Amino acid sequence: MKNKILSVITVCLLIIAASCNNTSSDKTTQSTDKKDTAVASDKGIGRFTNVKLNHPLDETMITKGSAVYNAKCIACHKLSNEKLVGPGYKGVCDKRTPEWIMNFITNTNVMLDSDLVAQQLMVVCLARMPNQNLSDEDARNTLEFLLKNDGKN
C-alpha cells in the first residue's frame, strides 16, 4: 500500500514538474502538449473573472454559506488549518483569489484536470475533490462564509 501511494505521488510530481518548465509573461503556464494543458492562474479556470466582495460581509450570505459548508464540505474540510481529507479552510482567502475559489467550487473537475494549483492540492491531499454541483449562488455564499472564517470584513 505504501509503495502504491509513493508511486502515485511520484507520478503526480513528475507531471507537475513537467508542466512547470513552460512559462509565459502573463503569469499563465501552459504545456505545449495538447494532451497535457495544465494551467496556473490566480483566477483558476471557469466563468468567474471578477468577483465583487461585500464590505462589510453580508450576514445573510454567511448564514447560507454556513449551511452549504455543513451539508457539503464539513465531512472533508475543517475550518482550522488542519487537514482532514481535504485542506483546512483557515487562510484560504489569503492564499487564493475569490475568482479561483469560485471557479474551483463550481468547476471542480476542470480545475482538477487543468489547474496546476488544484493539481498540487490533490497531490498533498491524495484525494480528488468530488464535484458538489453547487449553484453559483451557493458558491458565492460559501465564499462569503470562508471570508468570515478568515476574519475578513
Side-chain angles (χ1 to χ4, degrees):
M1 179 69 173
K2 196 183 249 184
N3 288 338
K4 188 174 184 179
I5 292 171
L6 289 174
S7 296
V8 170
I9 291 171
T10 302
V11 169
C12 290
L13 289 174
L14 288 172
I15 291 169
I16 291 168
S19 298
C20 290
N21 288 336
N22 219 0
T23 60
S24 68
S25 60
D26 69 351
K27 295 184 181 179
T28 301
T29 304
Q30 295 184 338
S31 171
T32 56
D33 183 355
K34 296 295 181 195
K35 295 176 189 168
D36 177 19
T37 57
V39 175
S41 169
D42 66 342
K43 294 191 178 203
I45 301 165
R47 66 187 163 278
F48 296 100
T49 59
N50 189 22
V51 175
K52 299 288 184 197
L53 299 180
N54 295 315
H55 296 288
L57 296 176
D58 184 313
E59 290 299 326
T60 301
M61 291 175 75
I62 292 167
T63 300
K64 290 178 181 178
S66 176
V68 171
Y69 169 78
N70 287 319
K72 301 274 190 168
C73 312
I74 198 169
C76 296
H77 299 278
K78 292 190 174 196
L79 294 176
S80 65
N81 291 324
E82 186 179 354
K83 176 182 170 275
L84 190 54
V85 174
Y89 280 162
K90 189 69 177 169
V92 70
C93 296
D94 296 322
K95 296 174 195 168
R96 310 283 176 252
T97 65
E99 293 81 9
W100 192 96
I101 294 168
M102 292 282 295
N103 283 322
F104 188 71
I105 291 171
T106 60
N107 201 23
T108 308
N109 292 329
V110 171
M111 289 281 287
L112 288 171
D113 290 341
S114 303
D115 183 83
L116 286 175
V117 172
Q119 290 174 352
Q120 290 167 346
L121 288 171
M122 195 167 49
V123 169
V124 170
C125 295
L126 301 176
R128 183 178 179 93
M129 181 173 142
N131 184 346
Q132 297 296 325
N133 295 312
L134 295 182
S135 68
D136 290 355
E137 180 182 358
D138 284 343
R140 181 61 185 86
N141 292 335
T142 302
L143 174 62
E144 200 82 354
F145 173 73
L146 294 173
L147 289 162
K148 174 77 171 192
N149 186 61
D150 281 349
K152 308 294 183 193
N153 292 324

